[in-house]
Amino acid sequence: MPNLTNKQILLGVTGSIASYKAADLASKLTQAGAKVDVILTSAAQKFITPLTFQSVTGCKAYTDKDLWGDEGHVLHVQLGKGADLIVIAPCTANTMAKLAHGFSDDLLTVTYLASTADVLIAPAMDGGMFDNPATQGNLSTLLSRGVMVAGPATGHLASGLSGKGRMLEPIEILGHIRIALGKHGKLKNKKVVVTAGGTQESIDPVRIITNHSSGKQGYALAQAAIDVGADVTLITTPTTLTPPVGAKVVNVKSVQDMLDALLNESADALIMTAAVADFRPKHVAKDKIKKRDGIPQIELEVAPDILKTVSSIKSEKKRYKVVVGFAAESQDLLENASDKLKSKGLDFIAANDISSKDAGFAVDTNRITLLFANGSKESLPLMSKTEAAEKIIEHVARLLE
Ligand code: PMT
């Protein structure tokens, strides 16, 4: 769950069956710490009540009655002014048309027109309505004015048909909200590449050599970078995790795949969180090694050192301006991490004590010490991988300033 404390979201809900999902979205935003003001159009109230939203947000949910009520003369200005972001989910074809053409005949559209806040819409309608040139024209107009658009997805529609027009799931919209809220952040216009997971080296078509990395720390870093406006590429080995919304995902397996992927990219920063093999089988058996042939002798060779390769290129071509490594150590943590900082040519390294159960591989928490190329050091207490990621991203942003 993101931390949206101190964020104020104005959620507009329009007349679509998908409005029931908006209640879940409002609940998720509230649980994340945001203050959520809701405006329902009159068509939305045919599907869902203001009370539903008031119950999950703890705040008043507004309707057109409020536009004509006592505080009506300032309400739309006040709601729009206070908002960090206006989210309209679901957004019908009708509301899209009103937004595109400046109609302001209800509380939601008059608030939209009066506000200077960023706007994100999540369209929801039948596929034919979405494809209609009128809707597509309105969509282009809104995009050209900087309105952000999340979805719609392709799939089952309320009409019984299948097509493009389904509102995204609340968790996906939440991901788009994070992008929208972060877009003016410290890493705005910066590109960050993050690697995550444990590499897999094949022994034969069935068996691999890998490690215990779950990808959690790397995925948290990708999300933390997106939260402050970075354009993120996540180079990941197979994991059970869902990549953050907005990350460009490159799927890899072996050290060589990861190295090739990194040499295809260039960015302001590279964060090498992945647990990468130091050794790999010298020969990969073409067919499955049979048990009946006895215990196999597997000869290993040294795998390429990705960071060393990339850092050496950095000095020539500035492929990555800031390079961050991790060191997973079970003994002599700081000495070993310091050696890696120097030998791999890093700007800083996160030394990970994997001897304790609550830090390192697969758990949700981490305890890291940051060692910097200038000799300074910052020891961080046990914290969630999300918090650790935010700390690392703060330093990346500082170094890029
Ligand atoms: O994925 P999680 O379950 O959340 O766990 C997170 C983590 C423990 C994997 C992560 O926090 C971590 O410590 N990652 C680095 C693990 C590791 O491989 O450390 P290392 O000391 O072996 O390597 C040092 C650095 O060199 C690392 O940045 C590594 O990516 C890089 N490396 C290693 C080997 C190699 N052949 N090429 C490399 O570039």
Side-chain angles (χ1 to χ4, degrees):
M1 193 60 79
N3 180 358
L4 300 184
T5 316
N6 300 327
K7 295 291 179 204
Q8 199 163 324
I9 310 287
L10 177 59
L11 176 62
V13 182
T14 69
S16 153
I17 180 58
S19 58
Y20 79 93
K21 294 187 192 172
D24 185 22
L25 177 63
S27 170
K28 284 187 162 59
L29 289 167
T30 308
Q31 287 174 55
K35 176 175 184 300
V36 185
D37 290 314
V38 177
I39 300 177
L40 292 96
T41 62
S42 54
Q45 289 172 76
K46 302 211 187 284
F47 292 93
I48 194 160
T49 69
L51 183 62
T52 311
F53 290 96
Q54 280 166 202
S55 307
V56 294
T57 64
C59 300
K60 179 171 163 59
Y62 298 91
T63 66
D64 287 348
K65 264 197 207 148
D66 300 296
L67 178 61
W68 307 111
D70 292 346
E71 45 177 349
H73 62 294
V74 284
L75 181 64
H76 60 289
V77 176
Q78 174 200 319
L79 283 173
K81 223 179 190 170
D84 293 295
L85 181 68
I86 298 178
V87 179
I88 306 180
C91 187
T92 58
N94 181 50
T95 298
M96 278 174 66
K98 287 188 190 179
L99 302 181
H101 294 280
F103 288 99
S104 51
D105 60 354
D106 60 14
L107 181 58
L108 178 61
T109 49
V110 76
T111 303
Y112 165 84
L113 212 55
S115 174
T116 54
D118 287 334
V119 179
L120 171 73
I121 62 168
M125 64 200 74
D126 190 61
M129 292 170 78
F130 185 71
D131 290 339
N132 190 291
T135 307
Q136 288 300 310
N138 293 333
L139 183 65
S140 305
T141 303
L142 293 172
L143 284 168
S144 72
R145 292 183 191 149
V147 171
M148 290 163 278
V149 180
T154 300
H156 175 78
L157 300 167
S159 59
L161 301 171
S162 186
K164 191 167 184 184
R166 220 180 129 80
M167 189 176 86
L168 293 190
E169 294 305 316
I171 194 75
E172 296 169 293
I173 298 175
L174 192 60
H176 286 274
I177 290 173
R178 294 178 80 157
I179 298 172
L181 289 172
K183 81 182 203 159
H184 306 293
K186 285 178 188 160
L187 290 182
K188 176 183 155 193
N189 298 328
K190 301 283 185 221
K191 183 171 172 187
V192 175
V193 174
V194 179
T195 65
T199 53
Q200 301 183 350
E201 302 302 323
S202 291
I203 295 171
D204 68 9
V206 177
R207 302 170 179 98
I208 53 172
I209 297 176
T210 188
N211 58 64
H212 295 295
S213 172
S214 62
K216 285 182 181 178
Q217 186 62 78
Y219 279 54
L221 275 154
Q223 181 65 71
I226 289 171
D227 284 344
V228 289
D231 174 11
V232 171
T233 297
L234 176 63
I235 299 178
T236 178
T237 62
T239 72
T240 57
L241 306 173
T242 306
V245 172
K248 174 186 150 197
V249 178
V250 180
N251 293 300
V252 296
K253 286 187 176 164
S254 66
V255 181
Q256 192 60 50
D257 295 343
M258 193 172 274
L259 177 59
D260 292 344
L262 281 166
L263 295 180
N264 252 332
E265 299 282 343
S266 64
D268 295 285
L270 164 64
I271 308 176
M272 241 348 246
T273 323
V276 181
D278 291 318
F279 310 104
R280 64 184 176 189
K282 190 164 184 183
H283 305 288
V284 180
K286 196 165 117 312
D287 298 306
K288 183 180 176 187
I289 298 171
K290 303 305 286 182
K291 197 172 167 186
R292 63 170 179 254
D293 296 335
I295 300 171
Q297 298 297 311
I298 300 167
E299 194 185 345
L300 300 178
E301 65 175 8
V302 174
D305 189 309
I306 297 177
L307 275 177
K308 273 190 187 164
T309 313
V310 167
S311 307
S312 63
I313 292 171
K314 176 190 149 197
S315 54
E316 298 158 28
K317 296 186 189 165
K318 299 228 182 307
R319 189 179 289 276
Y320 297 102
K321 290 184 197 143
V322 168
V323 181
V324 182
F326 270 77
E329 302 291 343
S330 55
Q331 56 187 357
D332 302 326
L333 177 70
L334 297 186
E335 293 83 340
N336 288 334
S338 176
D339 286 348
K340 286 176 184 173
L341 171 73
K342 288 174 200 139
S343 68
K344 293 178 188 256
L346 309 175
D347 293 282
F348 70 95
I349 193 161
N352 235 163
D353 182 356
I354 55 162
S355 63
S356 69
K357 283 207 171 79
D358 50 11
F361 292 102
V363 291
D364 289 329
T365 49
N366 217 347
R367 187 184 286 106
I368 54 177
T369 299
L370 304 179
L371 304 180
F372 295 88
N374 66 5
S376 64
K377 180 177 106 172
E378 184 178 342
S379 295
L380 299 173
L382 184 72
M383 55 178 64
S384 69
K385 284 185 172 168
T386 299
E387 289 166 323
E390 286 164 2
K391 293 276 179 201
I392 290 169
I393 291 299
E394 268 173 33
H395 283 290
V396 168
R398 180 180 56 76
L399 290 171
L400 285 172
E401 257 166 23

